[in-house]
Amino acid sequence: MASPTTRLRPVTAALCATALALLTACGGGGGDDGKKGGDGAGKRTASPVVTPTATAPVPRGEGSALPDDLNGDGRPELRIPLASDEELGGLRHIAFVYGSAKGLDPAVRTVLGRTDLGLPTGAGWDDRITGEMRSATTADLDGDGYADVIATATKERDPASAGRVHITTQTLPYITWGGPEGPRRGAPATPVGLADADDGLESPWPLTTGDFNGDGHHDLAAVRQGGKDFHVLYGPFGRDGKAARTETYANPLGPSGQIAELHADAIDGDRPTALVVHAQGDDDQTESALLKAGPDGLATTGRTLRKGNAIAFGDFDGDGKRDVAVADTGSRNDEPGYETEPADVSQSVSVYTERSAGSDPRPIRIPALGGDVLAAADTDGDGIDELAVSLRTGGTELLTIRPDAPGEIAHRRTLDRTVPARVDGHEVPKKRRAVRLHGAGDFDHDGKDEVVLAWGPDPLFALYGEKPQRFWVTDGAADEVVFTSAPYAKGAS
């Protein structure tokens, strides 16, 4: 189960007063008459867009075990990357919108930049790369009940180090420690202890968080520079940045390939979280390997998964065990023949269940879907995750599969949000009005997941989903809040 929501919640009066614009919100999981229940897209009236210019105080919690709970109140936060802004020197910031008993509250947020996170700056440090705040993620590494922020910074290697590894730059992870007051702003971030002075990461993208041995302590996984293997740093971490132990794992897909990225299952209590190791493929769809986890940590060998660059974990068949979904994101290289992938890759989503790991190794194949983005969302709290699939033609589908009839879908709903022809005074071409799947989470901690959809005005959003700015938080049927993050960066440090 990912995380949840349920009914349409009213936006507070203070927030409604700041609703300065409207976006069209079509569809929503009801029948064709727009009511809840049944299949079909449905039609509904426009929802007001909250423009949260004022910032409300962040409530203090008493600590929790969630990896994305900055204030320790037992509810996760939504992480939003903020686009560049000339007033901010062109650097990216990251915003955290706080969960509450009524769901996400756009007025309660924390905005963090390089200075806030305490990342190193100055001669030799590449601000252009480390300013990409997509590289920040969260986990409670020291176990104090408050999520810490983990980000990366890239520097030029000194001549001796560059000569030893034959690489001129070095990307390193840093920890900004959390606490009852939130991330410790401005103090120098703590470097994460890696194997040796020459060690570094393959890219500045986010480190992967999990609990890979099920001991309740949050762990980090990261691809080492060169992409041939990866580190798992098992928590708890000391305030010196050193993990309790570090293990290096070889590429389970073979020594000749390179690792592009790592995908971990969600941290949930003391359950060990599995890891998918994804191969590098020049933007083509590539294979992955699923590594199971246990009390001693991750397995060194695993199950090979089909080609597809979209990955999501969830319990899609309701047996209480975790499954993995794989789909084609649509990305291709520019070599001859790049236009197509085999039909079993480009025209399906495959779900690998615990059953399909037994005598019949075939995954459940759901035909004729997109798959730019996948997510698991248990919107009704029944313990069975729906598979959220962002379609390349626009819209997001919520699917409940039938494990007893592979390939069949027991229930499907379409979340079909679009923006109007003009937003904030600017014309939006028809091909750029579609809203995409952003993620899911139980932001009110009621046992039911909310689905988060997003749209951005930059052309890169329509192509790659970059620079989102408008967000729809829905229970799978009705919108709970629609808001814009545009004001967040204005007062950032």
Side-chain angles (χ1 to χ4, degrees), residues 152-308:
T152 59
T154 301
K155 68 175 182 178
E156 294 291 328
R157 290 182 181 269
D158 62 64
S161 176
R164 287 191 294 270
V165 300
H166 307 292
I167 300 173
T168 59
T169 61
Q170 185 180 31
T171 297
L172 300 169
Y174 286 81
I175 304 168
T176 302
W177 299 105
E181 304 296 332
R184 187 184 59 178
R185 292 175 180 266
T190 302
V192 175
L194 297 177
D196 56 55
D198 288 331
D199 209 352
L201 307 183
E202 173 66 5
S203 78
W205 298 113
L207 273 72
T208 302
T209 62
D211 181 1
F212 302 115
N213 56 1
D215 65 354
H217 297 296
H218 297 176
D219 311 321
L220 296 177
V223 182
R224 296 183 69 193
Q225 196 156 39
K228 297 297 184 183
D229 51 20
F230 64 96
H231 285 315
V232 174
L233 296 88
Y234 290 94
F237 286 69
R239 283 301 181 106
D240 59 358
K242 293 183 179 178
R245 65 184 175 97
T246 299
E247 292 192 18
T248 303
Y249 294 79
N251 186 352
L253 292 164
S256 60
Q258 286 188 300
I259 303 171
E261 56 186 334
L262 306 172
H263 304 266
D265 198 355
I267 298 174
D268 182 12
D270 58 359
R271 170 180 55 81
T273 53
L275 184 76
V276 167
V277 180
H278 197 78
Q280 201 169 87
D282 191 25
D283 289 332
D284 264 345
Q285 305 301 300
T286 57
E287 292 182 336
S288 303
L290 171 64
L291 302 183
K292 294 293 186 69
D296 296 325
L298 286 175
T300 56
T301 59
R303 182 182 188 184
T304 300
L305 308 179
R306 56 155 266 193
K307 290 183 177 180

Side-chain angles (χ1 to χ4, degrees), residues 263 265 274-276 288-292 303 305 310-316 321-327 349-354 356 363-364 374 387:
H263 304 266
D265 198 355
L275 184 76
V276 167
S288 303
L290 171 64
L291 302 183
K292 294 293 186 69
R303 182 182 188 184
L305 308 179
I311 308 288
F313 286 89
D315 181 6
F316 302 114
K321 299 177 181 178
R322 305 296 288 177
D323 312 314
V324 180
V326 182
V349 176
S350 299
V351 178
Y352 293 81
T353 67
E354 192 70 21
S356 66
I364 296 174
L374 299 179
L387 178 61

Side-chain angles (χ1 to χ4, degrees), residues 386-457:
E386 295 158 282
L387 178 61
V389 183
S390 187
L391 307 179
R392 287 192 289 276
T393 55
T396 294
E397 285 201 316
L398 290 180
L399 308 171
T400 303
I401 67 172
R402 287 188 57 186
D404 57 330
E408 293 188 20
I409 298 170
H411 188 256
R412 73 193 312 158
R413 291 176 284 171
T414 301
L415 309 178
D416 190 16
R417 310 295 195 266
T418 58
V419 298
R422 294 187 69 83
V423 174
D424 295 336
H426 299 285
E427 185 176 350
V428 182
K430 186 174 182 179
K431 64 180 180 180
R432 285 171 38 197
R433 296 175 194 168
V435 173
R436 299 164 63 108
L437 174 65
H438 187 76
D442 184 3
F443 301 109
D444 54 6
H445 198 57
D446 68 349
K448 302 175 184 178
D449 286 342
E450 293 87 37
V451 178
V452 182
L453 309 174
W455 175 85

Side-chain angles (χ1 to χ4, degrees), residues 15 17-21 49-54 106 424 470 482-484 486-488:
L15 292 179
T18 65
L20 304 180
V49 178
V50 175
T51 305
T53 54
D424 295 336
R470 304 277 175 128
V482 184
F483 69 96
T484 173
Y488 288 177

